[in-house]
Every structure is written in structure tokens, then in C-alpha cells.
Amino acid sequence: MSRVTALIDGNNFYASCEQSLDASLIGRPLVVLSNNDGCIVARSSEARALGISMGTPYFKVRHKLDRLGVVVRSSNYALYGDMSQRLMSLLEAHCEELEIYSIDEAFAYVNGPSDDNLKPWARQLRAQVHRNLGLPIAIGLGASKGQAKLANHLAKAIPAHAGVFNLLTASDPDTWLESVAIENVWGIGRKLAHWCRLRGVTNARQLRDMPRSQLHARCGVVGIRLQRELQGHACLPLALAPTSKQETCVSRSFSRPIANPEELRQAIATYVVRASEKLRRQQQRAGTLTVFTRTSPFAPAFYSQAATIQLDLPSNDTAILLAAALPLVERIYRPHCRLNKAGVLMQNLQSADHLQQHLLVAVHADEQHRRDRLMNTIDRLNHRYGSGTVGWAVCGMQPGWSMRRHQLSRAATTRLNDVPLVLA
DNA sequence: TCTGGGGTCCTAGGACCC
DNA sequence: TCTGGGGTCCTAGGACCC
């Protein structure tokens, strides 16, 4: 038996989710925008063929998209999250061990005899995902996560591979590695790609074979690990049990600059409410809370400020976290600055069931239980009747700075009113 | 006018201790 | 005049990922 690592991911995931919901979009150029309708974060293959690149600010290409007849959608994370869950449960049923790596990607171990060709297994899985969910996926196979990533890239980049590629059984793997540009190697970002190119390292094969000491001097152990992975030594094991988060952040850009300290208070309060909900869902409490705001980094005279408070006792109680956060707002607000983003950061997280050995905890145990039950009730009401059913006055009603999402698709899989009607 | 959001890991350097 | 060495902890910043 040999153990092969697979990387399975959705092609153009957000765009494909929109298409699976609305069949009239299939075959058409389509882009999905980031929050606030800011940048292009996903493109259908037809949009890609038109030369529309990832990360482009929407306002710069809006007219071009109109002219080319490209369909535009605001991001609909309720839909993508729900499709992701369906995809992952299907994958779980077909893989021995699975690490859910992101909303649209999973690593898996696949066991088979050493001479086994895993292509039939991969083709069958790919077909079933398409049949059940309407989503196209790609499957890359290799000896390590790094190799599986490369194979996945080649599965998508070469049409003849039809979404499945196994680096371990490929006839001339070095040639395939040479066809992958250094920028497309997992773990090589903009800075490192530039550094590599200056040294004549322009593709995955050259990175794999470059002098180890040179890589170590620039990238430390991270670089060495990456190189070993490309050589086929698995250094990064699958994370099979999800680990608890070390920090949790809620932040947003505003649809227009914040005009006064009261608006900033409302925004911070809104994010604290969200972050507290997240903490409770993760069954964690925060020991440290940071609020921050900034102006646009693209405008002159950049301003950015943060303020932090250590809590007496770690908490996930919205009222306590609001009381801690709101006094910090005046420390970060600055008049005459066009503040366009703010957020809160919860840090020093600890498990909520962990009873802290602290005198005050014992003294206030009853009170704490009462508060926990209250928060639990609020969470259940909001879950059942829709987010915002029970709100907090400090967040403001109908704020003028909230997110722009002009081209939102329906929440067909998660909200009853939006379920598509099928006429018999 | 208009440029996303939420994470992780690693390293270097300072503070502090014995 | 001459001022050690090694360890730990914390933080800020850099780089990356999707």
C-alpha cells in the first residue's frame, strides 16, 4: 500500500455556485465581487477568457464589463457556505481522511496499492459531485501537499487532463513541473516570486532543485519545507481534527467614509456583536480585545489606529465585550480623516468550558450562568428568525455606512422565501 | 466618488531573569 | 580601565494563504 495525497477543489467556486443556482448563467461570462462590491474575486471560465483578471477593482472595469455583456454578482456568502458544506460531506463519504482547508478546498489521503492508478476513482468522484451539486471540481494527486497542489494546478490548466492529474504516474514529471510558473507555486507569493526570478528561478522544477542554503537564508524553515514537499517528502501532515482558533476578527470597509464618532461607535458595536456570536459558536472566550480603524491605503495621508484592552476575565458575553470596546472608540477616532474601514480583533482566546482558577469566577458563577443562558437564547432566536431579530441599540438602525451589495443573488438554499420555484 | 475579509506561521529583537 | 552567557517570553512585522 502507498498513501497518496489529493487536493480537491472547486473550479471558480463562487462563480460556479451562482451558476448552479441559476442555470441561465451557465456558459456565460460571470464575475463575483468582494464585499462592498469592491474587487473581482471569482470569474467563470468565459469571463477569464475575456482577459478579466482576479482582484481588479470593480469601478475600474465596470464599463468594460457592461460592454462585454459580463454578468456581475455581489458575493453571497450564505450561499457559498451552504454549497461548501454539501461539497465537503460528499467528499468525506469518498475519502478515508479529509482536511477541509478552505471554503472550496480539501486535502485527502487516498490509499491504494503502489501500482494502482487512481484516475478511475478521481473521475468517478468528479462526476458524482457534478451530478449532485452542479459544481465542477479538480483533483490533483501527489506524494505531499505541495505536489498535490501542483498536480491540481495542472489538472485545471491543461484541458486534456479534464480535471484530474496524478503527478506520481505522469510519464515526465520534470517537464510538467517546468510548465508551472514560480508565481503559481503554493507558498510563493509576490515578494518571493520576484526574489526567485532575480536568481533565475522561474518555475516549480527550478525551485525544487535550487541550492537549499540559498532558500534557507531567505525563507528560513518555511522555504526548506516547501522545497522538501516539492521533492516528494511529505512535511505537512493533514490536519484531521480542526484546531481551535487563536484569534477571531470581524472587520468591514464602509460604503462611504465615516462622518462622525457616533457612526464609528455604531460600526464598532456592530462588529463586537458579530465577533461575540462567533466566539460563542466556537465555544471560546476572549482575554484581549482590540478595536481598529483606518483610512483608505490608496489615498494620501494614510491614518491607522488601534486600541487594546485586557479583560479582567475572559468573556464571550456581548454586553461585557461592548462595555469594554466602546470606550476605546474615542482613542482611535480622528476628526477630518476619511475613515473607510474598522474592525475588532478578539485575542488570547480560551476554551469556554475551561473553568479559570480565579476567585471572581467562583463568586460570580451563578451570575455567569444566567448570562450564558441569556446569550444562548438570543443566538437561538437570531438563528431561527433571522440575524438581527434581537439586536443591540448601540449598533444603530439602518446605518448609512453599511455594505454595498447591489447585485446580490437570492439565498435559495438557506432562506425559505428564496427557494426556487419549479413549475411542473 | 468607487480598491475585500479572515486567518496562520515564522523571525528578530527587546525585556527580563539568573 | 576592565562589564558574561544563556534562557524564556512577548511583540511587531513580514510573508503567505484562500
Side-chain angles (χ1 to χ4, degrees):
Chain A
M1 294 282 278
S2 76
R3 193 168 64 177
V4 176
T5 303
L7 175 66
I8 307 164
D9 74 349
N11 302 356
N12 322 320
F13 187 68
Y14 297 168
S16 299
C17 287
E18 296 288 345
Q19 288 170 327
S20 81
L21 194 63
D22 179 353
S24 75
L25 297 177
I26 295 172
R28 296 182 61 185
L30 163 71
V31 298
V32 178
L33 305 178
S34 66
N35 276 338
N36 237 348
D37 292 348
C39 301
I40 291 172
V41 293
R43 307 156 295 162
S44 70
S45 50
E46 294 78 13
R48 200 180 295 224
L50 289 174
I52 296 158
S53 48
M54 194 76 164
T56 311
Y58 176 48
F59 75 90
K60 285 189 179 175
V61 291
R62 171 185 252 143
H63 295 301
K64 180 180 165 191
L65 299 184
D66 279 352
R67 205 173 56 240
L68 293 170
V70 177
V71 181
V72 177
R73 287 281 185 265
S74 300
S75 42
N76 184 345
Y77 289 105
L79 170 65
Y80 313 146
D82 186 65
M83 293 299 285
S84 173
Q85 279 184 26
R86 292 163 196 250
L87 172 62
M88 295 307 166
S89 15
L90 228 167
L91 297 185
E92 253 156 9
H94 286 81
C95 302
E96 292 285 318
E97 292 175 300
L98 198 76
E99 172 190 343
I100 298 173
Y101 181 68
S102 75
I103 192 164
D104 74 328
E105 271 179 80
F107 286 102
Y109 287 140
V110 189
N111 292 308
S114 55
D115 58 347
D116 193 25
N117 188 341
L118 289 164
K119 269 191 194 155
W121 168 83
R123 295 230 170 279
Q124 194 269 334
L125 178 55
R126 191 166 179 272
Q128 183 166 358
V129 169
H130 194 260
R131 204 161 49 235
N132 292 15
L133 302 177
L135 295 176
I137 61 167
I139 303 177
L141 299 155
S144 62
K145 283 183 167 178
Q147 283 198 351
K149 271 276 189 183
L150 277 182
N152 176 281
H153 177 82
L154 290 162
K156 281 191 283 221
I158 314 293
H161 291 157
V164 174
F165 186 67
N166 186 349
L167 204 52
L168 298 171
T169 55
S171 58
D172 189 1
D174 278 17
T175 304
W176 287 117
L177 258 60
E178 274 169 17
S179 76
V180 178
I182 190 73
E183 289 77 13
N184 293 325
V185 176
W186 187 48
I188 301 293
R190 245 199 12 236
K191 295 271 169 77
L192 287 180
H194 180 69
W195 177 85
C196 285
R197 281 198 179 269
L198 287 179
R199 279 151 192 81
V201 174
T202 65
N203 62 52
R205 207 272 303 153
Q206 289 173 332
L207 178 66
R208 183 196 67 187
D209 297 339
M210 80 181 285
R212 184 188 146 98
S213 56
Q214 208 178 359
L215 203 54
H216 186 258
R218 175 68 171 81
C219 314
V221 300
V222 179
I224 298 305
R225 210 151 51 199
L226 173 57
Q227 192 178 43
R228 299 269 303 158
E229 285 263 316
L230 293 184
Q231 290 162 356
H233 307 283
C235 308
L236 301 165
L238 251 57
L240 297 174
T243 52
S244 46
K245 289 201 188 310
Q246 303 187 17
E247 56 182 42
T248 282
C249 174
V250 174
S251 72
R252 294 282 182 282
S253 299
F254 307 125
S255 54
R256 58 155 173 79
I258 283 284
N260 56 55
E262 182 49 32
E263 284 192 335
L264 185 58
R265 262 175 69 85
Q266 290 180 4
I268 293 288
T270 305
Y271 305 151
V272 169
V273 170
R274 276 278 108 72
S276 309
E277 288 168 358
K278 273 189 173 184
L279 288 175
R280 295 194 290 271
R281 203 177 325 130
Q282 294 160 195
Q283 303 195 38
Q284 290 181 305
R285 299 184 204 274
T288 306
L289 183 157
T290 297
V291 305
F292 61 90
T293 186
R294 64 159 174 75
T295 58
S296 166
F298 303 99
F302 180 64
Y303 166 80
S304 165
Q305 191 58 263
T308 298
I309 185 173
Q310 305 283 337
L311 301 169
D312 294 334
L313 285 175
S315 179
N316 58 19
D317 184 317
T318 305
I320 291 174
L321 294 171
L322 277 172
L326 291 177
L328 301 178
V329 172
E330 61 192 57
R331 285 169 42 191
I332 60 172
Y333 180 76
R334 193 155 100 182
H336 315 304
C337 270
R338 295 169 60 81
L339 302 172
N340 92 325
K341 179 173 178 172
V344 305
L345 193 55
M346 302 289 181
Q347 292 165 302
N348 281 332
L349 304 188
Q350 51 180 264
S351 162
D353 54 22
H354 174 250
L355 273 185
Q356 204 188 32
Q357 298 303 308
H358 194 296
L359 187 60
L360 288 174
V361 176
V363 172
H364 295 300
D366 282 351
E367 170 67 5
Q368 171 124 25
H369 275 127
R370 226 172 46 76
R371 300 285 318 179
D372 284 351
R373 284 207 307 276
L374 174 61
M375 290 300 134
N376 188 262
T377 305
I378 293 176
D379 288 340
R380 289 216 313 267
L381 286 170
N382 282 332
H383 180 250
R384 180 154 179 190
Y385 298 108
S387 175
T389 302
V390 181
W392 298 75
V394 279
C395 301
M397 310 291 281
Q398 307 282 329
W401 42 264
S402 56
M403 214 164 43
R404 226 181 355 247
R405 288 158 92 186
H406 288 319
Q407 347 246 356
L408 190 62
S409 54
R410 297 162 307 158
T413 61
T414 52
R415 214 161 58 205
L416 198 57
N417 283 346
D418 285 348
V419 170
L421 288 179
V422 179
L423 300 175

